[in-house]
Amino acid sequence: QMTLVESGGGLVQAGGSLKLSCAASGRTLRRYNMGWFRQAPGKIRETVAVINWSGDSTYYADSVKGRFTISRDNSANTGYLQMNSLKPEDTAVYYCAATGSYDLRTQQYDYWGQGTQVTVSS
């Protein structure tokens, strides 16, 4: 069993930046691909970014390309999402998740964090 805990969310003005962290415990994160997801009120959950176990392959949603950067530090057992040039439409609860699948495009994730709120004001 692996536990994921997100942190770093908060209130920020449009154009500002936040860095989210995802700390893993119970298992070694190195063996898992990791993704960031978000869900706004009344909306379905959507994929934001994905990174493979070695950190050399990534995926980004079109809406965040050029603004967000996903990364990981396997020695620290932690994943990150750097968010720059934030927009009000980025407001959502952000979740990190991990999967044992080798497929970067998999829809099957095994472990989920509790979420952290990101609110971008105009």
Side-chain angles (χ1 to χ4, degrees), residues 6-21 36-38 48-49 60 63-71 80-87 89-95 116-120:
E6 304 95 333
S7 62
L11 175 64
V12 65
Q13 294 184 3
S17 299
L18 285 173
K19 187 174 184 178
L20 306 183
S21 297
W36 285 95
F37 302 80
R38 67 186 182 187
V48 176
Y60 294 95
S63 59
V64 306
K65 285 181 179 177
R67 300 189 298 121
F68 291 11
T69 302
I70 187 171
S71 63
Y80 304 95
L81 183 69
Q82 177 67 50
M83 305 184 295
N84 298 325
S85 301
L86 283 162
K87 305 174 181 179
E89 50 263 45
D90 294 318
T91 295
V93 177
Y94 283 70
Y95 301 88
T116 185
Q117 176 70 47
V118 172
T119 302
V120 184

Side-chain angles (χ1 to χ4, degrees), residues 67-115:
R67 300 189 298 121
F68 291 11
T69 302
I70 187 171
S71 63
R72 65 192 298 164
D73 184 344
N74 289 336
S75 297
N77 221 26
T78 303
Y80 304 95
L81 183 69
Q82 177 67 50
M83 305 184 295
N84 298 325
S85 301
L86 283 162
K87 305 174 181 179
E89 50 263 45
D90 294 318
T91 295
V93 177
Y94 283 70
Y95 301 88
C96 67
T99 177
S101 174
Y102 286 85
D103 182 5
L104 195 67
R105 312 303 181 191
T106 186
Q107 299 299 305
Q108 180 180 351
Y109 279 78
D110 303 302
Y111 304 101
W112 291 83
Q114 85 290 346

